[in-house]
Amino acid sequence: MTRKNKITLIGSYGNGKTLTSFALSKIMNIPRAHVENIDSLYKDIYGVEKDPKLYTTPELFSVGLARFHSRIRQEKKDGFISDGSVLNELAYGYARIKISSKSSKSKSLKKYLFKDMYEDFGKRLERTIVDYAKTAYDAIYYLKIDPISQNLSETTVLFQNYFDEKMTSLLEKNNIKYNRLSGNVESFNIEILNEHDKYQLSEINIKELLIYAQNEKKLLKEDFHFGKK
């Protein structure tokens, strides 16, 4: 089977993308691509911190564009394992707006007046991102932890549902090929590596890889779950 060097892992927060990307990057010797989390980007853009559930529509667009820009810079390589994808940015944005609209206790006149402009801009941005995604990746894996953790907050579960709603629509509406993987991080690694003839791993190798991945993740400052704060 032909080796696929441009691999992206999609799925909402808490579904094993980061651990899987670290493990795959290590064994396949392909760089890991990732972007900063939204609260870090918000502070870079606006100079202050703010609860993501309180972001305004313009702020959500600004952060989304910053993540898209960061993503495509990270993916300018002959090969990569991307922790997330540009499609994630669309699905995340959709979920954030849905959550924020539920958190908002009033509708501002400014938001109402610019509603059509935001919708038009959103549609054009989506078209641009989808066009990029259709040619940027050799393989797309949609990761979903099963069974779902019982420790997730109500907001996080709602966010994941909104994310899955948008992501599934994007993939199917635009005829984007992908593989849906359900299980745990160990099974994700085994299934993906089985598609690459050069990588035949024993159970012990996989467990060692996951220990390595967990240690690498601890060093990150990007780990963030919408609704965790």
Side-chain angles (χ1 to χ4, degrees):
M1 183 179 292
T2 302
R3 181 173 171 179
K4 299 173 180 178
N5 289 327
K6 297 182 178 181
I7 299 171
T8 187
L9 310 176
I10 62 176
S12 186
Y13 300 119
N15 280 284
K17 298 187 306 298
T18 299
L19 288 176
T20 303
S21 65
F22 269 123
L24 292 176
S25 176
K26 174 74 171 177
I27 193 63
M28 298 176 73
N29 195 29
I30 298 177
R32 175 179 175 270
H34 66 96
V35 296
E36 301 87 346
N37 59 43
I38 60 172
D39 48 351
S40 295
L41 286 170
Y42 184 93
K43 188 173 182 180
D44 288 343
I45 296 169
Y46 296 102
V48 295
E49 294 183 348
K50 186 176 182 179
D51 186 336
K53 293 192 293 294
L54 302 179
Y55 289 178
T56 64
T57 300
E59 288 170 344
L60 285 167
F61 274 119
S62 293
V63 171
L65 282 170
R67 282 180 63 93
F68 177 51
H69 182 236
S70 178
R71 179 78 62 187
I72 59 177
R73 283 192 292 107
Q74 287 274 331
E75 294 176 351
K76 282 187 175 179
K77 301 166 184 168
D78 292 334
F80 54 80
I81 305 291
S82 197
D83 179 354
S85 78
V86 293
L87 295 173
N88 263 55
E89 309 317 324
L90 286 174
Y92 281 150
Y94 173 82
R96 288 172 193 138
I97 289 173
K98 294 281 282 189
I99 293 289
S100 296
S101 66
K102 282 183 172 292
S103 301
S104 177
K105 295 183 179 179
S106 64
K107 294 183 178 180
S108 69
L109 176 61
K110 185 176 181 181
K111 184 175 181 180
Y112 175 79
L113 291 174
F114 288 96
K115 180 175 181 292
D116 289 343
M117 183 188 73
Y118 292 143
E119 288 182 352
D120 182 64
F121 180 77
K123 289 177 182 177
R124 294 176 186 275
L125 177 61
E126 180 173 316
R127 184 71 267 155
T128 300
I129 291 177
V130 167
D131 285 346
Y132 171 87
K134 284 184 173 181
T135 60
Y137 308 118
D138 295 323
I140 299 175
Y141 296 96
Y142 195 158
L143 308 186
K144 186 75 172 177
I145 294 291
D146 184 31
I148 187 172
S149 171
Q150 298 302 308
N151 298 321
L152 298 180
S153 69
E154 183 179 343
T155 301
T156 300
V157 172
L158 189 59
F159 184 92
Q160 288 195 358
N161 290 338
Y162 286 141
F163 176 95
D164 288 334
E165 175 186 313
K166 181 63 174 180
M167 181 62 79
T168 300
S169 173
L170 282 170
L171 294 167
E172 295 181 356
K173 182 176 67 176
N174 296 288
N175 296 315
I176 297 175
K177 294 181 179 180
Y178 69 100
N179 293 320
R180 187 182 291 271
L181 305 183
S182 178
N184 55 37
V185 174
E186 184 172 338
S187 69
F188 297 156
N189 278 277
I190 291 172
E191 289 186 64
I192 294 172
L193 290 169
N194 279 341
E195 293 192 13
H196 299 263
D197 291 340
K198 294 183 179 180
Y199 307 106
Q200 300 296 325
L201 302 178
S202 67
E203 185 177 354
I204 294 177
N205 293 139
I206 287 289
K207 292 187 182 303
E208 289 176 350
L209 273 177
L210 295 185
I211 292 173
Y212 161 81
Q214 289 165 355
N215 290 334
E216 289 297 305
K217 184 177 180 180
K218 289 177 183 177
L219 301 176
L220 291 180
K221 295 181 179 180
E222 66 186 39
D223 189 33
F224 176 81
H225 291 254
F226 194 93
K228 185 173 66 175
K229 292 185 176 181

